[in-house]
Amino acid sequence: MSELETLQEPGAPHVSVLLDEVVSALAAGPGDIVVDGTFGAGGYTRAILATGASVIAFDRDPTVQRFAAEFSAADGRFRLIQDRFSQITAYLEDASADGVTLDLGVSSMQLDEAERGFSFMRDGPLDMRMGADGPTAADLVNELDPVELARILYVYGEEHASRRIASFIVKRRAERPFTRTLDLAHVIERALGGRKGAKVHPATRSFQGLRIAVNAELEELEAGLAAAERVLKPGGRLAVVTFHSLEDRIVKNFLAERAGRTPGGSRHAPPVEAGAPSSFQLISSKAIAPGEAELAVNPRARSSKLRAAVRTQAPVWSAA
C-alpha cells in the first residue's frame, strides 16, 4: 500500500475500498456463510450482514475488538475470531463457506495510531506488528546484517536504493539503536538525498518492506488463499482486494493457476501439481479497479485492485 500514507488525510476514518464491487462479487444472501478474513473496522462485514448472510470474521489485530460491539445485535450471524486469516481451516470445516473476502495491507486506523509504529509521518515506537507477538521493525533494523536488511527493502519494499539505505541505517545504529519511527524516516530521507519535491515520501517503500517482513504478509497471503480454497463450497466465491504489486501478483498467479491458465508455482510457495482440474473459475479475467467517483471521495482506493473467482467442484490442489 505504497501510496496510502501520502494520500490519506490525517485522522480520516477507514473507508472500505471497492465495497460495492466486493459485495457484488460475493453475491451473498440469507443463509450464506461468508468469511471476512480481514475484519478491520468491519466495513465489509457490515455490508455482508446487510445481505442477510452470516459472517465469521478474522483479524490478528487485538485492537479491532472495539469495532465488533456494533454487530452484537446481528441475530447470532456474526462472530469475530482473533487470529490470522491463514488459520481459517482451524475454525471452519472443508467446503463450509459460501464466500471469503480479504482486504490486504495496513489500514488507515493503524496508520493514525502513532503508537503502532506503522507511520513515517507520525512519531511512535518502531513496532509495525499487526498482532501482539513476534519481532518488531526496531528488531529488524537494529539486528539484521546489511545484506539481509537491503534484501528486505528491495524485495518487499521494491526500493532500488536498498543497499544505500541499509548502509546508512547500519552506520547510524552503531551510534545508537533505532527506537522511533521518525528517527528511521529521517535517516532514510538523508540516504536518498531528501524529498526534492517528491509527492511520495522517501521512506514509503522502506517502511512498506519492513512492515511486510515484520508481519510475514506475503507468506500469510499464500497460506490464506490456500485456506480459502479449502473452506469454500462448490459455487462459493473468493474476493481479494490488494494494494500493491507484490500482493496483486500473488493473487493473480494463484487464481490463474487454479483456473488452469498458467503453470503452477510461485516464489513464495512450492510448485503445485501440474494438470490438476481447475478449482476456480475467474469472475473477470482482469482486475477490477475503483471508479472515478470512489477515487474522488476515497484517495486510499487509488492503488487498489479486486480479483474474484468462483470455486468449482474440483478437489483442492495440493503441493507437489
Side-chain angles (χ1 to χ4, degrees):
M1 194 178 296
S2 60
E3 295 187 3
L4 170 58
E5 188 158 15
T6 303
L7 296 168
Q8 182 71 32
E9 291 294 329
H14 179 81
V15 179
S16 297
V17 168
L18 290 163
L19 179 61
D20 291 342
E21 291 82 353
V22 167
V23 172
S24 176
L26 291 172
D32 287 343
I33 297 174
V34 178
V35 174
D36 182 353
T38 44
F39 175 70
Y44 291 129
T45 286
R46 186 178 301 107
I48 295 165
L49 288 172
T51 70
S54 298
V55 174
I56 301 175
F58 287 76
D59 206 303
R60 71 169 100 175
D61 187 343
T63 69
V64 305
Q65 291 283 348
R66 67 188 189 272
F67 299 110
E70 75 166 273
F71 304 112
S72 61
D75 302 322
R77 293 187 293 117
F78 171 73
R79 179 187 179 194
L80 174 61
I81 298 172
Q82 189 180 320
D83 207 342
R84 300 166 181 255
F85 59 73
S86 63
Q87 301 305 305
I88 292 172
T89 54
Y91 301 89
L92 278 77
E93 296 181 358
D94 289 359
S96 61
D98 298 282
V100 174
T101 184
L102 304 174
D103 174 18
L104 305 174
V106 65
S107 72
S108 308
M109 303 171 301
Q110 291 167 326
L111 285 172
D112 285 342
E113 296 172 354
E115 65 272 15
R116 302 298 300 277
F118 289 103
S119 176
F120 48 77
M121 303 290 284
R122 301 170 179 84
D123 191 39
L126 189 54
D127 194 317
M128 298 193 191
R129 293 175 298 175
M130 291 181 179
D133 56 358
T136 66
D139 293 329
L140 267 57
V141 298
N142 289 321
E143 298 173 9
L144 291 180
D145 66 72
V147 173
E148 177 60 13
L149 181 56
R151 186 193 70 82
I152 285 174
L153 302 183
Y154 180 77
V155 174
Y156 297 147
E158 300 180 289
E159 174 55 74
H160 294 291
S162 59
R163 292 181 180 177
R164 179 175 175 82
I165 293 171
S167 176
F168 269 65
I169 289 174
V170 170
K171 182 178 180 180
R172 215 312 298 278
R173 78 187 188 192
E175 301 171 4
R176 66 183 187 280
F178 289 93
T179 61
R180 310 291 293 181
T181 54
L182 289 188
D183 185 18
L184 177 61
H186 290 155
V187 170
I188 295 171
E189 187 174 342
R190 289 200 303 272
L192 297 180
R195 300 190 189 188
K196 299 179 180 178
K199 292 182 179 180
V200 178
H201 192 285
T204 301
R205 295 185 179 88
S206 294
F207 268 59
Q208 172 183 296
L210 289 169
R211 190 203 79 223
I212 290 175
V214 164
N215 297 289
E217 292 179 35
L218 302 188
E219 294 83 357
E220 174 74 5
L221 175 55
E222 289 275 7
L225 291 171
E229 178 187 30
R230 184 170 294 279
V231 301
L232 280 170
K233 300 175 181 177
R237 290 170 170 240
L238 173 64
V240 185
V241 176
T242 64
F243 288 89
H244 58 73
S245 60
L246 296 176
E247 294 172 341
D248 184 60
R249 189 178 304 123
I250 290 173
V251 178
K252 178 182 178 180
N253 289 345
F254 175 87
L255 292 178
E257 291 163 8
R258 288 342 194 240
R261 297 199 172 197
T262 67
S266 84
R267 63 188 176 127
H268 297 288
V272 291
E273 57 188 308
S278 299
S279 58
F280 279 98
Q281 179 181 355
L282 302 182
I283 291 177
S284 172
S285 59
K286 295 183 178 180
I288 299 171
E292 290 301 321
E294 179 171 5
L295 292 176
V297 298
N298 185 15
R300 175 180 181 248
R302 187 174 308 279
S303 57
S304 64
K305 293 181 180 180
L306 166 65
R307 295 188 185 273
V310 179
R311 186 72 169 87
T312 70
Q313 296 189 18
V316 172
W317 283 34
S318 61

